[in-house]
Amino acid sequence: MLTIGSCNSRYIVSRDDPEPERLRSRLDEIVRQKLPAALASAFGGGEPPDGGFWFIRSLDVALAVNTAWDDNEISLRWAEGIARSFSAATSDGGSGALFFADRAAYLASYFVRCADGSPAREWFFEPFSGFSALPASAAVRSVIEEETEAGGTALVRMPAADLEKVLSMLSDADARRILLAFGGRASAAPAQPASTSRPDIPPAAGARPATDFRDAPELLLRTWSPPRRALSEPAEALFHYLAAARERPDAAAMALAQAAVALTRLARRLQAEGPSARALLAALAGGDLATLYVVAGAADAGALRALLGVAPETIWRIGRAVGAQPAPLEDAQITPATARFTRFGGAFLLLPYVDSLPLPAATDLPPPQAADPESAFRFLVLVRCFGAERFEAAFRDPLLRDLFRIPPALSPAEARAWESAVAAQSAAGWHPELARWQAAVWPEDGGVFALEPLPGGEAVLLDAESGVWRWRGGTDRGELARIETLLPPDAALHCRADSLRSSAAEALPGFRIRAGDAAPTFERFAEDADFLEAESGVAARIFAPAAQNALRAFAQRLPGFARSGLPYLHRNFLDLTASLEEFPERRVVRLGRPPLDLVLSMAGLNRASHRLRGPDARPFELYPQE
């Protein structure tokens, strides 16, 4: 196809010509109406004589015509003049003419110029001017998505240095989209030219079919070599895909793309972990999805699961080729961990929130039975989160006790006595720490608080927005004065009880105590306190508020359930069983399914990983039970 971007004609006519404007109009009309057909004839059907793509910046054509000729004759002579000028321009090697063997060669040049950062300055890339406002990575990806066949051929043919330069320029997202575009084709690389392969002729008897996924890893192994440049993981997967497609253009593209992603992830995992990663190869060879998730973790298992159907001997050859794993497969068999069970599976959902709570200063008081003070505090807060009715059952649960290293001989009565001792010495200093923790967890609260009287001469300070307990103590002036350090300077403090409001006004002269209360907030407090059985006394001033705050922080992660009462949260999200399997590098938790398991999934809470403070740095990895 011959394309002329623009035609600038200059006509020189005799001074004596009576109608020069009429002649100009006639010749312009010949250009528009007659010249295209004449050019098609002069160029042999419209194709340049050497094939491929020629880009010529300009052609100067000098032509003398007789105005007595008819229009067809003039257009023919004009086309012949253009053909002569074209031949001269393409034969003298001038800088104004460039040749590309085919569309793929043209795209390859564009991709390399994008990697160099200079495509917009090249006049022969004007067809891509619509991509000039995009980043180079997005421009290459957009062209390949529009012209997947030619774009794939361009990358497959590209010299290694140019290919790695282009791939190193791609963003992770664009590299993934390019690989997805290639994977959507029927074959991994363009079909052979029509002269060597005709679609209407069936393959010869016994011909090998296009590669399916079972063959794809073998094909990748034959062509596997690490890139010389540092590439991102998606770009490296694309690199290995193209190397395999270069050898087997008829390979099933989707199978090859999936295998390239899986092998690239496996190579990086094996190289990072060294000999300790042999269990990963054994899990893949065993073909069990659950074991793979246990060993590889959720982040990697999704990419690696495509290899589960590959023959075990191939898996180990892959390990030797891409990860330098020399040990025989039989030496890497996994010894399954013994699973332990608990009916208090919701504890694993609450652990991060309990772990982040501030510690009372008096946890340096030694607990009975030589328990660790910090572990004992967090354990007692956690078991309170299951409500007063289940406190002793949760307290005696052997799995929960072992997680916090609680001695078997420690009784609930001894634990409550230690709670009271800690609360008596730490309540005053712990409430400001709790207020700072709350400000970090609920940074957008409106600064509206309610001071409510409680039986037994106590009062509670509530955050009206989140419903969390900020303080609990006596109603004398000295106790109420402590609230001053717990409130932001512009806080609004509501109090419905006249006597308490009067005492608070004397104790807090810097605050305006407003009449009235936040009724829904106090109703929520009553429901929460009833669930926790937060009886009066010094122990209720630390451990019950800590449990309520942890539960409220958990509820905040549940879309639409941030203000639900604690009984509702327990019944619908936390009342579930769980199993725990411990491995040298991780602890795997499989959670049962509570009534609103779908909401947990939407929030990502039942597929999470978290590490706790303490000497055991192994993460807890949470998965729903199959």
Side-chain angles (χ1 to χ4, degrees), residues 2-57:
L2 180 68
T3 301
I4 299 176
S6 64
C7 180
N8 184 16
S9 300
R10 182 184 181 192
Y11 307 121
I12 301 176
V13 300
S14 169
R15 186 188 299 273
D16 299 330
D17 192 301
E19 296 179 307
E21 284 300 320
R22 182 176 179 183
L23 177 59
R24 181 184 63 79
S25 297
R26 178 192 173 196
L27 292 174
D28 285 349
E29 189 65 19
I30 290 172
V31 171
R32 286 191 292 267
Q33 300 295 331
K34 301 289 187 178
L35 187 58
L39 285 170
S41 176
F43 280 92
E47 296 295 333
D50 294 329
F53 287 82
W54 280 100
F55 286 82
I56 303 175
R57 193 159 198 173

Side-chain angles (χ1 to χ4, degrees), residues 165-198:
K165 181 193 297 184
V166 172
L167 295 182
S168 67
M169 171 268 300
L170 295 175
S171 69
D172 287 4
D174 288 331
R176 290 190 188 96
R177 287 181 60 174
I178 290 172
L179 191 56
L180 183 63
F182 290 157
R185 293 186 293 168
S187 61
Q192 297 296 324
S195 59
T196 60
S197 175
R198 289 179 52 191

Side-chain angles (χ1 to χ4, degrees), residues 275 278 281 316 320 324-332:
R278 282 180 285 177
L281 293 173
W316 194 246
R320 289 198 299 270
Q325 296 294 312
L329 182 62
E330 53 269 22
D331 291 346

Side-chain angles (χ1 to χ4, degrees), residues 456-503:
E458 288 193 321
V460 62
L461 179 67
L462 305 171
D463 187 310
E465 179 65 24
S466 61
V468 298
W469 309 350
R470 181 156 288 200
W471 170 89
R472 180 171 177 174
T475 56
D476 60 86
R477 183 174 178 177
E479 285 268 12
L480 291 175
R482 293 174 178 169
I483 297 175
E484 183 175 5
T485 62
L486 312 180
L487 297 174
D490 55 348
L493 186 59
H494 295 261
C495 182
R496 62 175 174 171
D498 294 339
S499 60
L500 183 57
R501 188 165 59 252
S502 176
S503 299

Side-chain angles (χ1 to χ4, degrees), residues 346-357 378 382 400 403-404 589 610-612 620 622:
F348 295 104
L349 296 171
L350 295 174
L351 279 177
Y353 311 102
V354 173
D355 187 61
S356 67
L357 285 166
R378 302 199 186 283
L382 179 66
L400 297 186
L403 285 180
F404 291 91
V589 178
H610 49 258
R611 298 177 187 270
L612 304 183
F620 288 93
L622 276 54

Side-chain angles (χ1 to χ4, degrees), residues 28-100:
D28 285 349
E29 189 65 19
I30 290 172
V31 171
R32 286 191 292 267
Q33 300 295 331
K34 301 289 187 178
L35 187 58
L39 285 170
S41 176
F43 280 92
E47 296 295 333
D50 294 329
F53 287 82
W54 280 100
F55 286 82
I56 303 175
R57 193 159 198 173
S58 64
L59 283 179
D60 293 327
V61 181
L63 183 67
V65 298
N66 187 339
T67 57
W69 295 341
D70 63 17
D71 292 354
N72 289 332
E73 180 69 17
I74 292 175
S75 65
L76 181 60
R77 297 296 181 89
W78 208 331
E80 289 172 351
I82 293 174
R84 287 193 297 271
S85 296
F86 176 87
S87 179
T90 57
S91 62
D92 64 6
S95 60
L98 288 94
F99 177 73
F100 299 96

Side-chain angles (χ1 to χ4, degrees), residues 196-557:
T196 60
S197 175
R198 289 179 52 191
D200 56 330
I201 298 178
R208 185 179 179 184
T211 305
D212 60 16
F213 186 82
R214 289 169 297 179
D215 301 321
E218 292 276 7
L219 173 57
L220 285 161
L221 284 184
R222 290 201 303 272
T223 60
W224 191 273
S225 64
R228 288 171 292 183
R229 281 179 180 253
L231 301 179
S232 68
E233 184 176 327
E236 186 180 344
L238 182 55
F239 172 85
H240 294 306
Y241 169 89
L242 293 169
R246 188 178 296 116
E247 178 173 315
R248 283 290 307 276
D250 64 333
M254 183 58 74
L256 195 59
Q258 291 175 340
V261 170
L263 262 65
T264 302
R265 177 67 59 85
L266 179 62
R268 294 191 170 217
R269 179 74 181 259
L270 294 177
Q271 291 161 8
E273 299 187 14
S276 65
R278 282 180 285 177
L280 177 59
L281 293 173
L284 289 168
D288 180 63
L289 180 61
T291 303
L292 177 62
Y293 268 86
V294 169
V295 174
D300 290 341
L304 296 175
R305 63 184 300 175
L307 297 174
L308 286 175
V310 177
E313 59 273 15
T314 302
I315 290 292
W316 194 246
R317 283 197 296 108
I318 290 172
R320 289 198 299 270
V322 307
Q325 296 294 312
L329 182 62
E330 53 269 22
D331 291 346
Q333 298 298 325
I334 298 173
T335 302
T338 301
R340 300 179 64 192
F341 296 88
T342 176
R343 56 177 285 206
F344 299 100
F348 295 104
L349 296 171
L350 295 174
L351 279 177
Y353 311 102
V354 173
D355 187 61
S356 67
L357 285 166
L359 289 171
T363 48
D364 56 358
L365 289 174
Q369 307 297 334
D372 175 71
E374 179 178 342
S375 295
F377 171 77
R378 302 199 186 283
F379 171 73
L380 291 170
V381 171
L382 179 66
V383 296
R384 280 184 177 273
C385 289
F386 291 98
E389 294 180 3
R390 289 162 291 275
F391 174 85
E392 289 211 15
F395 183 92
R396 298 184 186 281
D397 185 90
L399 177 53
L400 297 186
R401 293 175 75 104
D402 287 350
L403 285 180
F404 291 91
R405 304 185 302 281
I406 303 301
L410 181 63
S411 69
E414 291 173 317
R416 289 185 187 275
W418 182 73
E419 284 183 339
S420 297
V422 169
Q425 294 193 30
S426 302
W430 183 73
H431 287 126
E433 293 293 329
L434 181 64
R436 282 190 285 272
W437 181 85
Q438 290 171 350
V441 175
W442 291 278
E444 299 181 359
D445 281 358
V448 178
F449 297 86
L451 184 62
E452 295 287 350
L454 296 176
E458 288 193 321
V460 62
L461 179 67
L462 305 171
D463 187 310
E465 179 65 24
S466 61
V468 298
W469 309 350
R470 181 156 288 200
W471 170 89
R472 180 171 177 174
T475 56
D476 60 86
R477 183 174 178 177
E479 285 268 12
L480 291 175
R482 293 174 178 169
I483 297 175
E484 183 175 5
T485 62
L486 312 180
L487 297 174
D490 55 348
L493 186 59
H494 295 261
C495 182
R496 62 175 174 171
D498 294 339
S499 60
L500 183 57
R501 188 165 59 252
S502 176
S503 299
E506 293 180 8
L508 303 168
F511 289 88
R512 180 181 176 185
I513 315 300
R514 302 178 183 178
D517 68 302
T521 300
F522 187 69
E523 290 172 5
R524 197 182 315 154
F525 165 81
E527 185 177 22
D528 290 358
D530 209 37
F531 175 78
L532 296 172
E533 197 178 57
E535 68 282 352
S536 63
V538 289
R541 298 183 184 182
I542 285 186
F543 288 87
Q548 192 259 8
N549 274 259
L551 287 163
R552 286 266 157 248
F554 167 73
Q556 189 187 32
R557 294 289 308 278

